[in-house]
Protein backbone atom coordinates (compact mmCIF):
# COMPACT_ATOMS: atom_id res chain seq x y z
CA UNK A 1 0.00 0.00 0.00
CA UNK A 2 1.31 3.48 -0.80
CA UNK A 3 2.38 5.64 2.11
CA UNK A 4 0.00 8.39 3.16
CA UNK A 5 1.10 12.04 3.15
CA UNK A 6 -0.30 15.59 3.20
CA UNK A 7 -0.48 18.37 0.69
CA UNK A 8 2.61 20.54 0.30
CA UNK A 9 2.42 24.07 1.65
CA UNK A 10 1.74 25.58 -1.78
CA UNK A 11 -1.29 23.38 -2.31
CA UNK A 12 -2.54 24.21 1.18
CA UNK A 13 -2.26 27.89 0.43
CA UNK A 14 -4.53 27.48 -2.62
CA UNK A 15 -7.48 26.45 -0.45
CA UNK A 16 -9.98 29.32 -0.09
CA UNK A 17 -9.65 31.26 3.15
CA UNK A 18 -13.34 30.90 4.07
CA UNK A 19 -13.05 27.04 3.93
CA UNK A 20 -10.21 27.13 6.42
CA UNK A 21 -12.19 29.51 8.67
CA UNK A 22 -15.13 27.04 8.62
CA UNK A 23 -12.72 24.27 9.68
CA UNK A 24 -12.73 22.44 6.33
CA UNK A 25 -9.88 19.92 6.43
CA UNK A 26 -6.93 20.22 4.14
CA UNK A 27 -6.93 17.76 1.25
CA UNK A 28 -4.91 14.62 1.92
CA UNK A 29 -3.82 12.10 -0.69
CA UNK A 30 -1.54 9.13 -1.19
CA UNK A 31 2.07 9.70 -2.05
CA UNK A 32 2.24 9.16 -5.84
CA UNK A 33 4.97 9.34 -8.48
CA UNK A 34 5.16 11.85 -11.36
CA UNK A 35 2.14 11.78 -13.72
CA UNK A 36 -0.23 10.56 -11.02
CA UNK A 37 -4.00 10.63 -11.40
CA UNK A 38 -5.94 13.76 -10.53
CA UNK A 39 -7.49 13.92 -7.02
CA UNK A 40 -10.40 16.30 -6.52
CA UNK A 41 -9.66 17.87 -9.90
CA UNK A 42 -6.09 18.94 -9.01
CA UNK A 43 -2.72 17.52 -10.05
CA UNK A 44 -0.69 16.57 -6.95
CA UNK A 45 3.05 16.98 -6.90
CA UNK A 46 5.05 14.16 -5.23
CA UNK A 47 5.90 14.84 -1.59
CA UNK A 48 9.58 13.97 -0.96
CA UNK A 49 9.04 13.11 2.70
CA UNK A 50 6.07 12.37 4.94
CA UNK A 51 4.93 15.35 6.88
CA UNK A 52 5.36 15.23 10.67
CA UNK A 53 2.12 14.81 12.66
CA UNK A 54 2.97 18.05 14.47
CA UNK A 55 2.84 19.92 11.17
CA UNK A 56 -0.92 19.39 10.92
CA UNK A 57 -1.54 20.57 14.48
CA UNK A 58 -1.60 24.07 15.88
CA UNK A 59 -1.95 25.81 19.19
CA UNK A 60 -2.47 23.75 22.40
CA UNK A 61 -2.81 20.46 20.50
CA UNK A 62 0.62 20.89 18.93
CA UNK A 63 2.22 21.74 22.29
CA UNK A 64 0.66 18.65 23.94
CA UNK A 65 1.96 16.45 21.13
CA UNK A 66 5.50 17.83 21.43
CA UNK A 67 5.50 17.30 25.20
CA UNK A 68 4.22 13.68 24.95
CA UNK A 69 6.49 12.52 22.12
CA UNK A 70 9.78 12.25 24.14
CA UNK A 71 8.06 10.34 26.97
CA UNK A 72 6.46 7.90 24.52
CA UNK A 73 9.77 7.32 22.77
CA UNK A 74 11.54 6.71 26.10
CA UNK A 75 8.86 4.22 27.19
CA UNK A 76 9.15 2.38 23.87
CA UNK A 77 12.94 2.18 24.18
CA UNK A 78 12.67 0.96 27.78
CA UNK A 79 10.18 -1.78 26.81
CA UNK A 80 12.39 -2.90 23.93
CA UNK A 81 15.44 -3.03 26.20
CA UNK A 82 13.55 -5.02 28.82
CA UNK A 83 12.33 -7.52 26.24
CA UNK A 84 15.84 -7.95 24.86
CA UNK A 85 17.16 -8.46 28.39
CA UNK A 86 14.56 -11.18 29.13
CA UNK A 87 15.27 -13.06 25.91
CA UNK A 88 18.99 -12.53 25.92
CA UNK A 89 20.17 -15.01 28.59
CA UNK A 90 18.52 -18.14 27.17
CA UNK A 91 19.58 -17.19 23.65
CA UNK A 92 23.15 -16.39 24.59
CA UNK A 93 23.68 -19.39 26.90
CA UNK A 94 21.50 -22.25 25.56
CA UNK A 95 24.00 -24.90 26.66
CA UNK A 96 23.99 -23.57 30.22
CA UNK A 97 20.18 -23.55 30.36
CA UNK A 98 19.94 -27.09 28.97
CA UNK A 99 22.63 -28.23 31.40
CA UNK A 100 20.59 -26.84 34.28
CA UNK A 101 17.56 -28.83 33.09
CA UNK A 102 19.66 -32.01 33.04
CA UNK A 103 20.99 -31.28 36.53
CA UNK A 104 17.47 -30.68 37.86
CA UNK A 105 16.22 -33.89 36.24
CA UNK A 106 19.04 -36.00 37.77
CA UNK A 107 18.74 -34.29 41.15
CA UNK A 108 14.99 -34.87 41.42
CA UNK A 109 15.33 -38.47 40.25
CA UNK A 110 18.11 -39.33 42.70
CA UNK A 111 16.28 -37.72 45.63
CA UNK A 112 13.07 -39.55 44.73
CA UNK A 113 14.80 -42.94 44.62
CA UNK A 114 16.55 -42.37 47.96
CA UNK A 115 13.50 -41.07 49.84
CA UNK A 116 11.23 -43.67 48.29
CA UNK A 117 13.51 -46.51 49.41
CA UNK A 118 13.70 -45.12 52.95
CA UNK A 119 9.90 -45.17 53.27
CA UNK A 120 9.93 -48.96 53.00
CA UNK A 121 12.00 -49.18 56.20
CA UNK A 122 8.90 -48.32 58.24
CA UNK A 123 6.07 -48.71 55.69
CA UNK A 124 6.61 -51.85 53.54
CA UNK A 125 3.50 -51.47 51.38
CA UNK A 126 4.59 -50.70 47.80
CA UNK A 127 1.10 -50.84 46.25
CA UNK A 128 -0.16 -48.11 48.56
CA UNK A 129 3.07 -46.12 48.17
CA UNK A 130 2.82 -46.19 44.36
CA UNK A 131 -0.79 -44.99 44.57
CA UNK A 132 0.29 -42.17 46.90
CA UNK A 133 2.88 -41.03 44.31
CA UNK A 134 0.16 -40.65 41.70
CA UNK A 135 -2.28 -39.07 44.19
CA UNK A 136 0.16 -36.28 45.04
CA UNK A 137 0.89 -35.76 41.33
CA UNK A 138 -2.82 -35.51 40.53
CA UNK A 139 -3.29 -33.06 43.43
CA UNK A 140 -0.42 -30.98 42.03
CA UNK A 141 -2.05 -30.94 38.57
CA UNK A 142 -5.48 -30.00 39.92
CA UNK A 143 -4.05 -27.07 41.88
CA UNK A 144 -2.14 -25.95 38.79
CA UNK A 145 -5.29 -26.12 36.68
CA UNK A 146 -7.16 -24.16 39.37
CA UNK A 147 -4.70 -21.27 39.05
CA UNK A 148 -4.40 -21.63 35.28
CA UNK A 149 -0.79 -22.90 35.28
CA UNK A 150 -1.22 -24.45 32.80
CA UNK A 151 -4.67 -23.89 31.42
CA UNK A 152 -6.55 -27.19 31.42
CA UNK A 153 -6.88 -28.74 27.98
CA UNK A 154 -10.38 -30.00 27.13
CA UNK A 155 -11.02 -33.74 27.17
CA UNK A 156 -13.36 -35.70 24.92
CA UNK A 157 -14.31 -39.36 24.43
CA UNK A 158 -11.94 -39.85 21.49
CA UNK A 159 -8.86 -38.61 23.34
CA UNK A 160 -9.87 -40.49 26.49
CA UNK A 161 -10.13 -43.73 24.52
CA UNK A 162 -6.59 -43.16 23.20
CA UNK A 163 -5.13 -42.35 26.61
CA UNK A 164 -6.61 -45.23 28.62
CA UNK A 165 -4.19 -47.92 27.26
CA UNK A 166 -1.23 -45.58 27.83
CA UNK A 167 -2.34 -44.84 31.40
CA UNK A 168 -2.99 -48.51 32.23
CA UNK A 169 0.52 -49.48 31.07
CA UNK A 170 1.94 -46.52 33.00
CA UNK A 171 0.12 -47.65 36.15
CA UNK A 172 1.28 -51.28 35.86
CA UNK A 173 4.86 -50.22 35.11
CA UNK A 174 4.93 -47.80 38.04
CA UNK A 175 3.47 -50.26 40.55
CA UNK A 176 5.80 -53.10 39.56
CA UNK A 177 8.80 -50.74 39.64
CA UNK A 178 7.86 -49.70 43.17
CA UNK A 179 7.45 -53.33 44.26
CA UNK A 180 10.88 -54.10 42.81
CA UNK A 181 12.48 -51.14 44.61
CA UNK A 182 10.94 -52.35 47.87
CA UNK A 183 12.21 -55.92 47.38
CA UNK A 184 15.81 -55.41 46.20
CA UNK A 185 18.53 -52.79 46.30
CA UNK A 186 17.83 -49.67 44.21
CA UNK A 187 21.06 -50.19 42.29
CA UNK A 188 20.09 -53.75 41.33
CA UNK A 189 16.54 -52.74 40.36
CA UNK A 190 17.97 -50.13 37.98
CA UNK A 191 20.40 -52.69 36.60
CA UNK A 192 17.48 -54.95 35.69
CA UNK A 193 15.62 -51.99 34.21
CA UNK A 194 18.60 -51.46 31.92
CA UNK A 195 17.05 -54.29 29.87
CA UNK A 196 14.25 -51.97 28.76
CA UNK A 197 15.93 -51.25 25.35
CA UNK A 198 15.92 -55.00 24.65
CA UNK A 199 12.15 -55.15 25.15
CA UNK A 200 11.68 -51.99 23.06
CA UNK A 201 13.63 -53.52 20.18
CA UNK A 202 11.68 -56.77 20.46
CA UNK A 203 8.36 -54.91 20.40
CA UNK A 204 9.42 -52.87 17.37
CA UNK A 205 10.49 -56.00 15.49
CA UNK A 206 7.76 -58.48 16.38
CA UNK A 207 4.73 -56.36 17.36
CA UNK A 208 4.98 -53.19 15.28
CA UNK A 209 6.66 -54.95 12.37
CA UNK A 210 9.46 -52.38 12.17
CA UNK A 211 12.76 -54.07 11.24
CA UNK A 212 15.57 -53.53 13.74
CA UNK A 213 19.06 -53.44 12.18
CA UNK A 214 21.42 -56.26 13.08
CA UNK A 215 23.90 -53.77 14.56
CA UNK A 216 21.31 -52.71 17.13
CA UNK A 217 20.60 -56.31 18.09
CA UNK A 218 24.34 -56.93 18.52
CA UNK A 219 24.68 -53.83 20.72
CA UNK A 220 22.08 -55.34 23.09
CA UNK A 221 24.21 -58.44 23.75
CA UNK A 222 26.37 -56.66 26.39
CA UNK A 223 23.20 -55.45 28.12
CA UNK A 224 21.78 -58.97 28.48
CA UNK A 225 25.16 -60.43 29.48
CA UNK A 226 25.82 -57.64 31.99
CA UNK A 227 22.45 -58.00 33.73
CA UNK A 228 22.88 -61.78 33.87
CA UNK A 229 26.35 -61.52 35.41
CA UNK A 230 25.19 -58.92 37.95
CA UNK A 231 22.16 -61.02 38.95
CA UNK A 232 24.19 -64.15 39.70
CA UNK A 233 26.07 -62.59 42.62
CA UNK A 234 23.72 -59.78 43.72
CA UNK A 235 23.40 -60.03 47.49
CA UNK A 236 19.88 -58.54 47.57
CA UNK A 237 18.56 -60.75 44.75
CA UNK A 238 15.09 -62.24 45.12
CA UNK A 239 12.56 -63.34 42.56
CA UNK A 240 9.92 -60.81 43.63
CA UNK A 241 12.18 -57.89 42.83
CA UNK A 242 13.53 -59.46 39.64
CA UNK A 243 10.16 -60.49 38.17
CA UNK A 244 8.47 -57.17 39.00
CA UNK A 245 11.33 -55.23 37.40
CA UNK A 246 10.94 -57.34 34.26
CA UNK A 247 7.17 -56.75 34.21
CA UNK A 248 7.89 -53.06 34.57
CA UNK A 249 10.13 -53.20 31.49
CA UNK A 250 7.39 -54.90 29.48
CA UNK A 251 4.71 -52.46 30.69
CA UNK A 252 6.76 -49.39 29.81
CA UNK A 253 7.49 -50.91 26.39
CA UNK A 254 3.77 -51.25 25.69
CA UNK A 255 3.27 -47.73 27.04
CA UNK A 256 5.66 -46.50 24.34
CA UNK A 257 3.74 -48.45 21.68
CA UNK A 258 0.36 -47.05 22.73
CA UNK A 259 1.83 -43.56 23.10
CA UNK A 260 2.78 -43.58 19.41
CA UNK A 261 -0.80 -44.48 18.52
CA UNK A 262 -2.29 -41.86 20.86
CA UNK A 263 -1.26 -38.87 18.78
CA UNK A 264 -3.02 -35.80 20.16
CA UNK A 265 -2.51 -32.04 19.90
CA UNK A 266 -2.46 -31.73 23.70
CA UNK A 267 0.68 -30.33 25.32
CA UNK A 268 2.87 -32.70 27.33
CA UNK A 269 2.00 -31.18 30.73
CA UNK A 270 -1.76 -31.65 30.28
CA UNK A 271 -1.22 -35.05 28.69
CA UNK A 272 0.80 -36.32 31.65
CA UNK A 273 -1.80 -34.89 34.04
CA UNK A 274 -4.64 -36.85 32.43
CA UNK A 275 -2.50 -40.01 32.28
CA UNK A 276 -1.75 -39.62 36.01
CA UNK A 277 -5.45 -39.29 36.85
CA UNK A 278 -6.37 -42.44 34.92
CA UNK A 279 -3.35 -44.33 36.34
CA UNK A 280 -4.38 -43.40 39.89
CA UNK A 281 -7.86 -44.83 39.30
CA UNK A 282 -6.20 -48.05 38.05
CA UNK A 283 -3.82 -48.29 41.05
CA UNK A 284 -6.33 -47.79 43.86
CA UNK A 285 -8.20 -51.16 43.61
CA UNK A 286 -5.04 -53.37 43.79
CA UNK A 287 -3.77 -51.35 46.74
CA UNK A 288 -7.05 -51.81 48.62
CA UNK A 289 -7.40 -55.50 47.75
CA UNK A 290 -3.80 -56.61 48.30
CA UNK A 291 -2.70 -54.36 51.17
CA UNK A 292 -5.93 -52.85 52.51
CA UNK A 293 -6.60 -55.36 55.31
CA UNK A 294 -3.00 -55.23 56.56
CA UNK A 295 -3.00 -51.43 56.52
CA UNK A 296 -6.18 -51.26 58.58
CA UNK A 297 -4.98 -53.83 61.12
CA UNK A 298 -1.45 -52.67 61.82
CA UNK A 299 0.20 -50.98 58.81
CA UNK A 300 -0.60 -47.36 59.65
CA UNK A 301 -0.34 -47.94 63.41
CA UNK A 302 3.17 -49.38 63.15
CA UNK A 303 4.37 -46.58 60.85
CA UNK A 304 2.91 -43.86 63.11
CA UNK A 305 4.52 -45.48 66.14
CA UNK A 306 7.93 -45.38 64.41
CA UNK A 307 7.97 -41.92 62.80
CA UNK A 308 4.78 -40.14 63.89
CA UNK A 309 1.70 -39.14 61.91
CA UNK A 310 3.05 -35.74 60.80
CA UNK A 311 6.29 -37.14 59.42
CA UNK A 312 4.51 -40.03 57.73
CA UNK A 313 2.15 -37.72 55.86
CA UNK A 314 4.96 -35.28 55.06
CA UNK A 315 7.16 -38.05 53.66
CA UNK A 316 4.35 -39.35 51.45
CA UNK A 317 3.73 -35.85 50.11
CA UNK A 318 7.41 -35.04 49.50
CA UNK A 319 8.17 -38.33 47.75
CA UNK A 320 5.05 -38.02 45.58
CA UNK A 321 5.99 -34.45 44.67
CA UNK A 322 9.52 -35.49 43.69
CA UNK A 323 8.09 -38.34 41.61
CA UNK A 324 5.80 -36.02 39.67
CA UNK A 325 8.36 -33.23 39.24
CA UNK A 326 11.17 -35.48 38.02
CA UNK A 327 8.87 -36.96 35.37
CA UNK A 328 7.69 -33.51 34.31
CA UNK A 329 11.21 -32.03 34.21
CA UNK A 330 12.43 -35.10 32.29
CA UNK A 331 9.83 -34.40 29.60
CA UNK A 332 10.78 -30.72 29.46
CA UNK A 333 14.49 -31.60 29.30
CA UNK A 334 14.19 -34.17 26.55
CA UNK A 335 12.12 -31.76 24.44
CA UNK A 336 15.08 -29.35 24.37
CA UNK A 337 17.73 -31.72 23.04
CA UNK A 338 18.51 -33.87 20.02
CA UNK A 339 17.91 -37.66 20.05
CA UNK A 340 21.60 -38.38 20.72
CA UNK A 341 21.66 -36.09 23.75
CA UNK A 342 18.40 -37.69 24.86
CA UNK A 343 20.00 -41.15 24.74
CA UNK A 344 23.16 -40.08 26.56
CA UNK A 345 21.09 -38.27 29.18
CA UNK A 346 19.04 -41.37 29.97
CA UNK A 347 22.17 -43.50 30.36
CA UNK A 348 23.90 -40.97 32.61
CA UNK A 349 20.75 -40.69 34.73
CA UNK A 350 20.83 -44.41 35.43
CA UNK A 351 24.54 -44.23 36.31
CA UNK A 352 23.86 -41.38 38.75
CA UNK A 353 20.99 -43.21 40.44
CA UNK A 354 22.97 -46.46 40.81
CA UNK A 355 26.06 -44.67 42.09
CA UNK A 356 24.29 -42.46 44.63
CA UNK A 357 22.09 -45.30 45.91
CA UNK A 358 25.18 -47.42 46.63
CA UNK A 359 26.80 -44.52 48.50
CA UNK A 360 23.72 -43.49 50.50
CA UNK A 361 22.54 -46.97 51.51
CA UNK A 362 26.01 -48.50 51.79
CA UNK A 363 25.00 -51.53 49.76
CA UNK A 364 27.72 -54.16 49.48
CA UNK A 365 28.47 -54.86 45.84
CA UNK A 366 30.53 -57.87 44.84
CA UNK A 367 33.20 -57.53 42.19
CA UNK A 368 31.22 -59.66 39.77
CA UNK A 369 28.04 -57.59 40.31
CA UNK A 370 30.01 -54.39 39.72
CA UNK A 371 31.49 -55.76 36.50
CA UNK A 372 28.11 -56.99 35.29
CA UNK A 373 26.45 -53.64 36.03
CA UNK A 374 29.22 -51.77 34.19
CA UNK A 375 28.89 -54.05 31.15
CA UNK A 376 25.11 -53.58 31.10
CA UNK A 377 25.33 -49.78 31.33
CA UNK A 378 28.02 -49.71 28.62
CA UNK A 379 25.75 -51.82 26.41
CA UNK A 380 22.83 -49.43 26.98
CA UNK A 381 25.07 -46.49 26.07
CA UNK A 382 26.20 -48.22 22.86
CA UNK A 383 22.64 -49.13 21.90
CA UNK A 384 21.34 -45.61 22.62
CA UNK A 385 24.15 -44.01 20.62
CA UNK A 386 23.60 -46.25 17.59
CA UNK A 387 19.82 -45.87 17.67
CA UNK A 388 20.09 -42.07 17.89
CA UNK A 389 22.45 -42.03 14.92
CA UNK A 390 20.04 -44.16 12.86
CA UNK A 391 17.09 -41.91 13.77
CA UNK A 392 19.11 -38.81 12.84
CA UNK A 393 20.03 -40.31 9.45
CA UNK A 394 16.36 -41.10 8.79
CA UNK A 395 15.38 -37.55 9.69
CA UNK A 396 18.01 -36.07 7.37
CA UNK A 397 16.82 -38.29 4.49
CA UNK A 398 13.21 -37.12 4.99
CA UNK A 399 14.17 -33.44 5.11
CA UNK A 400 16.56 -33.69 2.14
Amino acid sequence: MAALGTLPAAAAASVPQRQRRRGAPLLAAAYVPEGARLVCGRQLRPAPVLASPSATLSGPARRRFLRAAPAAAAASDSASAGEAKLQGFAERYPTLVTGFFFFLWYFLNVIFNILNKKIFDYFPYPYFVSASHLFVGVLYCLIGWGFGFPKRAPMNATVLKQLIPVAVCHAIGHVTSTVSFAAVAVSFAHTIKALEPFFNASASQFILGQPVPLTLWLSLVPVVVGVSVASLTELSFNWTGFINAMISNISFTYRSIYSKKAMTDMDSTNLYAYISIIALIVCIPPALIIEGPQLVQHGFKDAIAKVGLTKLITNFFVVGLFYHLYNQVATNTLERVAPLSHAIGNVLKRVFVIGFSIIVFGNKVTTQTGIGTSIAIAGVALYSFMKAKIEEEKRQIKTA
Side-chain angles (χ1 to χ4, degrees):
M1 181 181 293
L4 293 178
T6 59
L7 284 175
S14 65
V15 179
Q17 183 69 22
R18 65 177 180 274
Q19 288 185 358
R20 289 203 283 174
R21 280 200 304 269
R22 288 202 303 262
L26 298 180
L27 292 176
Y31 174 84
V32 289
E34 289 288 348
R37 296 284 183 180
L38 292 175
V39 178
C40 295
R42 294 182 181 273
Q43 176 74 37
L44 298 181
R45 291 184 297 171
V49 294
L50 294 176
S52 169
S54 62
T56 62
L57 302 175
S58 61
R62 185 171 186 273
R63 288 194 295 272
R64 286 195 299 270
F65 174 81
L66 293 175
R67 286 196 301 268
S76 177
D77 293 342
S78 176
S80 300
E83 184 177 354
K85 186 181 295 183
L86 289 174
Q87 297 178 351
F89 184 83
E91 293 176 353
R92 285 182 295 174
Y93 306 103
T95 303
L96 187 62
V97 174
T98 302
F100 173 75
F101 271 85
F102 270 102
F103 167 78
L104 191 60
W105 174 25
Y106 292 174
F107 173 77
L108 293 172
N109 194 295
V110 169
I111 297 300
F112 162 73
N113 278 276
I114 292 173
L115 295 181
N116 190 56
K117 182 65 175 179
K118 287 186 175 181
I119 283 182
F120 297 124
D121 293 337
Y122 54 85
F123 195 82
Y125 302 97
Y127 288 89
F128 183 88
V129 170
S130 60
S132 71
H133 295 161
L134 295 170
F135 174 79
V136 174
V138 169
L139 186 63
Y140 175 90
C141 294
L142 293 177
I143 294 174
W145 280 341
F147 286 96
F149 301 109
K151 185 177 179 181
R152 187 181 69 84
M155 174 60 67
N156 55 54
T158 302
V159 177
L160 181 62
K161 186 177 179 180
Q162 292 176 329
L163 293 185
I164 286 177
V166 181
V168 170
C169 292
H170 178 70
I172 296 173
H174 177 52
V175 170
T176 51
S177 290
T178 307
V179 173
S180 178
F181 290 145
V184 299
V186 174
S187 57
F188 181 56
H190 277 278
T191 301
I192 302 171
K193 289 176 69 64
L195 283 171
E196 191 172 327
F198 174 81
F199 289 97
N200 287 334
S202 300
S204 298
Q205 180 82 48
F206 303 111
I207 298 177
L208 298 179
Q210 300 173 354
V212 177
L214 179 61
T215 52
L216 279 183
W217 282 114
L218 293 176
S219 68
L220 288 170
V221 173
V223 181
V224 178
V225 172
V227 173
S228 301
V229 171
S231 301
L232 290 175
T233 56
E234 170 59 36
L235 298 178
S236 67
F237 178 89
N238 63 63
W239 286 108
T240 300
F242 182 84
I243 292 174
N244 275 275
M246 295 293 283
I247 295 174
S248 174
N249 286 332
I250 297 172
S251 299
F252 286 141
T253 297
Y254 274 96
R255 183 186 65 178
S256 300
I257 294 173
Y258 288 119
S259 295
K260 293 178 181 178
K261 296 180 180 180
M263 300 299 292
T264 67
D265 295 329
M266 194 180 300
D267 63 280
S268 59
T269 303
N270 274 291
L271 194 65
Y272 184 66
Y274 282 119
I275 289 175
S276 297
I277 293 173
I278 300 171
L280 174 61
I281 296 173
V282 174
C283 287
I284 289 176
L288 294 177
I289 295 172
I290 297 174
E291 297 176 342
Q294 300 176 30
L295 290 173
V296 172
Q297 292 178 4
H298 53 79
F300 288 114
K301 294 179 181 178
D302 293 345
I304 293 172
K306 291 180 181 179
V307 298
L309 178 61
T310 302
K311 187 175 180 180
L312 180 65
I313 296 175
T314 302
N315 289 347
F316 278 141
F317 178 80
V318 171
V319 172
L321 187 61
F322 271 99
Y323 171 77
H324 183 84
L325 290 178
Y326 104 71
N327 279 284
Q328 185 170 305
V329 172
T331 302
N332 298 334
T333 303
L334 300 180
E335 287 177 347
R336 297 176 58 89
V337 298
L340 181 57
S341 300
H342 173 180
I344 295 173
N346 267 320
V347 175
L348 290 178
K349 181 209 74 173
R350 203 171 296 281
V351 172
F352 268 81
V353 172
I354 291 174
F356 274 97
S357 65
I358 292 174
I359 295 173
V360 171
F361 296 108
N363 297 331
K364 294 182 179 180
V365 179
T366 65
T367 303
Q368 185 172 333
T369 298
I371 294 174
T373 300
S374 301
I375 293 174
I377 296 300
V380 173
L382 178 62
Y383 169 84
S384 301
F385 176 80
M386 296 180 65
K387 184 178 180 181
K389 292 285 288 184
I390 292 173
E391 293 296 330
E392 181 64 20
E393 291 173 359
K394 290 181 180 178
R395 187 188 65 81
Q396 291 177 355
I397 292 174
K398 289 181 180 180
T399 57

